[in-house]
Amino acid sequence: MKKANRERLIDQAARLLTSASAVVCLTGAGVSAESGVPTFRDAQTGLWSQFEAEELASPQGFERDPGLVWRWYMWRLTVVEAATPNPGHAALARLASLCEEFVLVTQNVDNLHEQAGSADILHLHGSLLHFRCQVCAQPHRLTDAERRRQLPPTCARCGEFVRPDVVWFGEGLPWQAVEAAFVAASSCDLMLVVGASGLVYPAAQLPLIAKQAGATILDINLQPGPLSSIVDLFLQGKSGEILPALAQSVAWLIQG
Ligand SMILES: [Zn+2]
Protein backbone atom coordinates (compact mmCIF):
# COMPACT_ATOMS: atom_id res chain seq x y z
CA MET A 1 0.00 0.00 0.00
CA LYS A 2 1.27 3.46 -0.89
CA LYS A 3 1.73 5.74 2.12
CA ALA A 4 -0.89 8.34 1.18
CA ASN A 5 -3.35 5.64 0.24
CA ARG A 6 -2.72 3.80 3.49
CA GLU A 7 -3.29 6.95 5.53
CA ARG A 8 -6.57 7.60 3.72
CA LEU A 9 -7.77 4.04 4.34
CA ILE A 10 -6.74 4.13 8.00
CA ASP A 11 -8.61 7.39 8.45
CA GLN A 12 -11.67 5.85 6.79
CA ALA A 13 -11.40 2.79 9.07
CA ALA A 14 -11.02 5.00 12.15
CA ARG A 15 -14.21 6.89 11.23
CA LEU A 16 -16.10 3.62 10.86
CA LEU A 17 -14.81 2.48 14.26
CA THR A 18 -15.74 5.68 16.06
CA SER A 19 -19.27 5.61 14.65
CA ALA A 20 -19.81 1.98 15.67
CA SER A 21 -21.31 1.27 19.05
CA ALA A 22 -20.57 -2.46 19.18
CA VAL A 23 -17.34 -3.82 17.73
CA VAL A 24 -16.24 -7.43 17.45
CA CYS A 25 -12.61 -8.20 16.62
CA LEU A 26 -11.58 -11.62 15.35
CA THR A 27 -7.87 -12.39 15.38
CA GLY A 28 -5.98 -15.26 13.80
CA ALA A 29 -2.51 -16.71 13.42
CA GLY A 30 -1.12 -13.67 11.57
CA VAL A 31 -1.27 -11.55 14.73
CA SER A 32 0.77 -14.10 16.71
CA ALA A 33 3.13 -14.79 13.81
CA GLU A 34 4.33 -11.19 14.03
CA SER A 35 5.46 -12.02 17.59
CA GLY A 36 7.31 -15.08 16.34
CA VAL A 37 4.74 -17.63 17.50
CA PRO A 38 4.76 -20.43 14.93
CA THR A 39 1.58 -22.07 13.71
CA PHE A 40 0.99 -25.70 14.64
CA ARG A 41 2.57 -26.86 11.37
CA ASP A 42 5.49 -24.46 11.64
CA ALA A 43 6.21 -25.66 15.19
CA GLN A 44 6.62 -29.18 13.82
CA THR A 45 10.33 -28.83 13.27
CA GLY A 46 13.20 -31.20 14.07
CA LEU A 47 12.17 -34.39 15.79
CA TRP A 48 8.50 -33.33 15.70
CA SER A 49 8.38 -33.31 11.90
CA GLN A 50 8.27 -37.11 11.77
CA PHE A 51 4.83 -37.22 13.43
CA GLU A 52 1.40 -36.75 11.90
CA ALA A 53 -0.53 -33.82 13.35
CA GLU A 54 -3.16 -36.29 14.59
CA GLU A 55 -0.54 -38.21 16.59
CA LEU A 56 0.34 -35.03 18.46
CA ALA A 57 -3.06 -33.41 18.79
CA SER A 58 -6.08 -35.70 18.90
CA PRO A 59 -7.85 -37.69 21.62
CA GLN A 60 -6.72 -40.89 19.84
CA GLY A 61 -3.11 -39.71 19.76
CA PHE A 62 -3.25 -38.91 23.48
CA GLU A 63 -4.77 -42.31 24.22
CA ARG A 64 -2.02 -44.05 22.24
CA ASP A 65 0.96 -42.13 23.57
CA PRO A 66 0.18 -39.57 26.32
CA GLY A 67 3.89 -38.93 26.93
CA LEU A 68 4.55 -37.95 23.30
CA VAL A 69 1.59 -35.55 23.26
CA TRP A 70 2.64 -34.12 26.64
CA ARG A 71 6.19 -33.45 25.49
CA TRP A 72 4.91 -31.81 22.30
CA TYR A 73 2.73 -29.44 24.30
CA MET A 74 5.50 -28.67 26.78
CA TRP A 75 7.67 -27.74 23.78
CA ARG A 76 4.98 -25.51 22.33
CA LEU A 77 4.43 -23.90 25.72
CA THR A 78 8.14 -23.04 25.87
CA VAL A 79 7.94 -21.43 22.41
CA VAL A 80 4.87 -19.38 23.34
CA GLU A 81 6.36 -18.26 26.64
CA ALA A 82 9.43 -16.93 24.81
CA ALA A 83 7.20 -14.64 22.69
CA THR A 84 6.09 -11.15 23.66
CA PRO A 85 3.10 -9.14 22.42
CA ASN A 86 3.74 -6.94 19.38
CA PRO A 87 2.38 -3.41 18.77
CA GLY A 88 -0.72 -4.94 17.15
CA HIS A 89 -1.69 -6.70 20.38
CA ALA A 90 -1.15 -3.48 22.33
CA ALA A 91 -3.21 -1.48 19.83
CA LEU A 92 -6.16 -3.87 20.16
CA ALA A 93 -6.13 -3.41 23.94
CA ARG A 94 -6.09 0.36 23.35
CA LEU A 95 -8.92 0.16 20.80
CA ALA A 96 -11.02 -1.76 23.31
CA SER A 97 -10.68 1.12 25.76
CA LEU A 98 -11.70 3.62 23.04
CA CYS A 99 -14.80 1.74 21.86
CA GLU A 100 -18.14 1.71 23.62
CA GLU A 101 -18.38 -2.07 23.36
CA PHE A 102 -15.52 -4.25 22.13
CA VAL A 103 -15.46 -8.05 22.09
CA LEU A 104 -12.22 -9.82 21.24
CA VAL A 105 -12.49 -13.28 19.72
CA THR A 106 -9.36 -15.23 18.85
CA GLN A 107 -8.37 -18.44 17.16
CA ASN A 108 -4.93 -18.17 18.78
CA VAL A 109 -3.94 -20.46 21.64
CA ASP A 110 -1.25 -18.20 23.11
CA ASN A 111 -1.88 -15.51 25.77
CA LEU A 112 -0.35 -12.54 23.96
CA HIS A 113 -3.64 -10.61 23.95
CA GLU A 114 -3.88 -11.04 27.73
CA GLN A 115 -0.25 -9.98 28.15
CA ALA A 116 -0.95 -6.85 26.11
CA GLY A 117 -3.79 -5.91 28.45
CA SER A 118 -6.91 -7.20 26.67
CA ALA A 119 -9.58 -8.70 28.90
CA ASP A 120 -12.50 -11.11 28.52
CA ILE A 121 -11.10 -12.76 25.43
CA LEU A 122 -13.08 -15.50 23.76
CA HIS A 123 -10.57 -18.24 22.91
CA LEU A 124 -12.29 -20.36 20.27
CA HIS A 125 -9.49 -22.95 20.21
CA GLY A 126 -8.58 -22.98 23.90
CA SER A 127 -5.24 -22.04 25.42
CA LEU A 128 -1.80 -23.62 25.51
CA LEU A 129 -1.34 -22.16 28.99
CA HIS A 130 -4.33 -23.91 30.57
CA PHE A 131 -4.64 -27.55 31.56
CA ARG A 132 -7.47 -29.78 32.66
CA CYS A 133 -8.29 -33.39 33.44
CA GLN A 134 -9.09 -35.37 30.29
CA VAL A 135 -12.01 -37.09 32.04
CA CYS A 136 -13.58 -34.79 34.64
CA ALA A 137 -12.28 -31.47 33.19
CA GLN A 138 -11.00 -30.30 36.59
CA PRO A 139 -8.58 -27.40 35.91
CA HIS A 140 -4.96 -28.19 36.73
CA ARG A 141 -2.20 -25.79 37.71
CA LEU A 142 1.06 -26.89 36.11
CA THR A 143 4.21 -27.11 38.26
CA ASP A 144 7.77 -26.74 36.98
CA ALA A 145 8.52 -30.38 37.82
CA GLU A 146 5.53 -31.56 35.79
CA ARG A 147 6.77 -29.68 32.77
CA ARG A 148 9.94 -31.74 32.68
CA ARG A 149 8.23 -35.11 33.11
CA GLN A 150 7.94 -37.70 30.37
CA LEU A 151 4.26 -38.31 31.17
CA PRO A 152 1.39 -35.90 31.84
CA PRO A 153 0.50 -35.21 35.49
CA THR A 154 -2.65 -36.77 36.91
CA CYS A 155 -5.85 -35.16 38.08
CA ALA A 156 -6.05 -34.36 41.81
CA ARG A 157 -9.74 -35.28 41.80
CA CYS A 158 -9.99 -38.50 39.75
CA GLY A 159 -6.42 -39.60 38.98
CA GLU A 160 -6.77 -39.54 35.19
CA PHE A 161 -4.26 -37.80 32.92
CA VAL A 162 -4.20 -34.02 32.65
CA ARG A 163 -4.20 -32.56 29.12
CA PRO A 164 -3.73 -29.13 27.55
CA ASP A 165 -6.98 -27.16 27.36
CA VAL A 166 -6.81 -26.73 23.60
CA VAL A 167 -9.09 -27.99 20.86
CA TRP A 168 -7.68 -31.08 19.19
CA PHE A 169 -8.38 -32.53 15.75
CA GLY A 170 -11.79 -34.17 15.76
CA GLU A 171 -12.99 -32.26 18.82
CA GLY A 172 -15.76 -29.72 19.21
CA LEU A 173 -14.99 -26.14 20.21
CA PRO A 174 -15.66 -24.78 23.72
CA TRP A 175 -19.37 -24.05 23.37
CA GLN A 176 -19.53 -21.14 25.82
CA ALA A 177 -16.90 -19.21 23.85
CA VAL A 178 -18.48 -20.11 20.50
CA GLU A 179 -21.96 -19.15 21.66
CA ALA A 180 -20.75 -15.83 23.07
CA ALA A 181 -18.88 -15.11 19.82
CA PHE A 182 -21.98 -15.84 17.71
CA VAL A 183 -24.16 -13.63 19.89
CA ALA A 184 -21.60 -10.80 19.69
CA ALA A 185 -21.23 -11.19 15.90
CA SER A 186 -24.97 -11.08 15.30
CA SER A 187 -25.40 -7.88 17.28
CA CYS A 188 -22.29 -5.88 16.38
CA ASP A 189 -22.23 -3.03 13.89
CA LEU A 190 -18.58 -3.44 12.96
CA MET A 191 -16.40 -6.50 12.71
CA LEU A 192 -12.65 -6.19 12.53
CA VAL A 193 -10.89 -9.28 11.16
CA VAL A 194 -7.14 -9.31 11.77
CA GLY A 195 -4.53 -11.76 10.55
CA ALA A 196 -7.06 -14.51 10.08
CA SER A 197 -6.37 -15.71 6.56
CA GLY A 198 -7.00 -19.41 7.12
CA LEU A 199 -10.43 -19.07 8.64
CA VAL A 200 -11.90 -22.38 9.67
CA TYR A 201 -15.43 -23.19 10.72
CA PRO A 202 -16.99 -21.91 12.95
CA ALA A 203 -14.77 -18.82 13.12
CA ALA A 204 -15.31 -18.37 9.37
CA GLN A 205 -19.03 -17.98 10.04
CA LEU A 206 -18.61 -14.99 12.32
CA PRO A 207 -17.95 -12.32 9.65
CA LEU A 208 -20.79 -13.76 7.54
CA ILE A 209 -23.21 -13.56 10.45
CA ALA A 210 -22.10 -10.02 11.22
CA LYS A 211 -22.49 -9.02 7.56
CA GLN A 212 -25.97 -10.52 7.35
CA ALA A 213 -26.90 -8.57 10.48
CA GLY A 214 -25.86 -5.37 8.71
CA ALA A 215 -22.38 -4.87 10.18
CA THR A 216 -19.47 -3.31 8.36
CA ILE A 217 -16.52 -5.68 7.82
CA LEU A 218 -12.97 -4.39 8.14
CA ASP A 219 -10.11 -6.72 7.21
CA ILE A 220 -6.45 -6.27 8.09
CA ASN A 221 -4.28 -8.89 6.46
CA LEU A 222 -1.10 -9.46 4.48
CA GLN A 223 -3.14 -10.80 1.57
CA PRO A 224 -6.82 -10.60 0.59
CA GLY A 225 -8.43 -13.72 2.02
CA PRO A 226 -11.54 -15.84 1.55
CA LEU A 227 -13.66 -13.04 3.00
CA SER A 228 -12.84 -10.61 0.18
CA SER A 229 -16.36 -10.65 -1.24
CA ILE A 230 -17.94 -9.41 2.00
CA VAL A 231 -15.21 -7.05 3.20
CA ASP A 232 -16.14 -3.36 3.13
CA LEU A 233 -12.65 -2.05 3.79
CA PHE A 234 -9.40 -3.95 3.32
CA LEU A 235 -6.15 -2.73 4.85
CA GLN A 236 -3.23 -4.66 3.44
CA GLY A 237 -0.14 -5.07 5.58
CA LYS A 238 1.19 -6.09 8.97
CA SER A 239 -1.27 -5.77 11.83
CA GLY A 240 1.63 -4.66 14.04
CA GLU A 241 1.97 -1.58 11.83
CA ILE A 242 -1.62 -0.85 10.82
CA LEU A 243 -3.37 -1.36 14.18
CA PRO A 244 -1.26 1.17 16.15
CA ALA A 245 -1.92 3.81 13.46
CA LEU A 246 -5.61 2.93 13.49
CA ALA A 247 -5.89 3.14 17.30
CA GLN A 248 -4.12 6.50 17.22
CA SER A 249 -6.52 7.82 14.56
CA VAL A 250 -9.50 6.67 16.60
CA ALA A 251 -8.08 8.41 19.69
CA TRP A 252 -7.64 11.66 17.73
CA LEU A 253 -11.18 11.49 16.33
CA ILE A 254 -12.63 10.94 19.80
CA GLN A 255 -10.67 13.85 21.22
CA GLY A 256 -12.00 15.91 18.30
ZN1 LIG B 1 -10.26 -35.69 36.81
Side-chain angles (χ1 to χ4, degrees):
M1 243 189 328
K2 288 223 173 63
K3 195 164 174 276
N5 192 30
R6 173 184 285 206
E7 278 169 12
R8 186 179 55 78
L9 289 174
I10 285 174
D11 180 64
Q12 212 178 322
R15 284 174 198 283
L16 289 169
L17 271 162
T18 39
S19 61
S21 54
V23 176
V24 173
C25 176
L26 171 64
T27 67
V31 178
S32 293
E34 288 179 37
S35 280
V37 177
T39 61
F40 186 97
R41 305 278 171 186
D42 289 338
Q44 271 190 284
T45 55
L47 70 107
W48 299 113
S49 60
Q50 62 184 301
F51 300 104
E52 296 293 331
E54 285 73 13
E55 290 178 84
L56 301 171
S58 73
Q60 296 77 13
F62 192 60
E63 186 72 30
R64 210 176 303 126
D65 194 344
L68 175 75
V69 174
W70 185 250
R71 293 190 298 278
W72 162 246
Y73 278 95
M74 290 305 100
W75 150 247
R76 292 191 65 206
L77 182 59
T78 307
V79 172
V80 158
E81 283 173 338
T84 49
N86 64 62
H89 290 105
L92 285 177
R94 186 178 183 200
L95 266 182
S97 71
L98 295 169
C99 294
E100 220 170 288
E101 205 185 309
F102 191 95
V103 177
L104 183 54
V105 184
T106 188
Q107 295 182 282
N108 298 336
V109 288
D110 55 60
N111 70 341
L112 295 176
H113 283 306
E114 284 90 342
Q115 279 193 56
S118 289
D120 303 324
I121 301 146
L122 299 173
H123 277 275
L124 294 181
H125 294 171
S127 169
L128 283 175
L129 290 93
H130 295 151
F131 298 87
R132 63 173 162 88
C133 173
Q134 66 159 337
V135 173
C136 76
Q138 166 92 347
H140 178 87
R141 190 181 281 271
L142 194 64
T143 67
D144 284 344
E146 288 165 352
R147 296 174 68 133
R148 293 188 295 270
R149 293 222 307 242
Q150 295 302 303
L151 277 175
T154 50
C155 171
R157 190 156 72 182
C158 76
E160 294 288 338
F161 278 136
V162 162
R163 56 164 283 178
D165 198 3
V166 293
V167 177
W168 280 339
F169 294 104
E171 288 187 316
L173 271 56
W175 66 268
Q176 297 98 326
V178 172
E179 198 175 272
F182 273 71
V183 168
S186 61
S187 56
C188 71
D189 37 43
L190 187 142
M191 180 170 281
L192 180 58
V193 184
V194 191
S197 52
L199 275 177
V200 286
Y201 182 85
Q205 288 292 107
L206 295 172
L208 298 173
I209 287 169
K211 185 77 180 182
Q212 277 163 10
T216 304
I217 313 292
L218 254 166
D219 185 19
I220 300 176
N221 236 312
L222 292 175
Q223 300 297 335
L227 295 175
S228 299
S229 61
I230 63 156
V231 168
D232 296 286
L233 186 58
F234 175 58
L235 291 159
Q236 187 164 21
K238 287 186 175 177
S239 53
E241 291 169 7
I242 294 173
L243 283 172
L246 182 57
Q248 186 56 55
S249 297
V250 170
W252 278 329
L253 283 171
I254 290 173
Q255 285 161 14

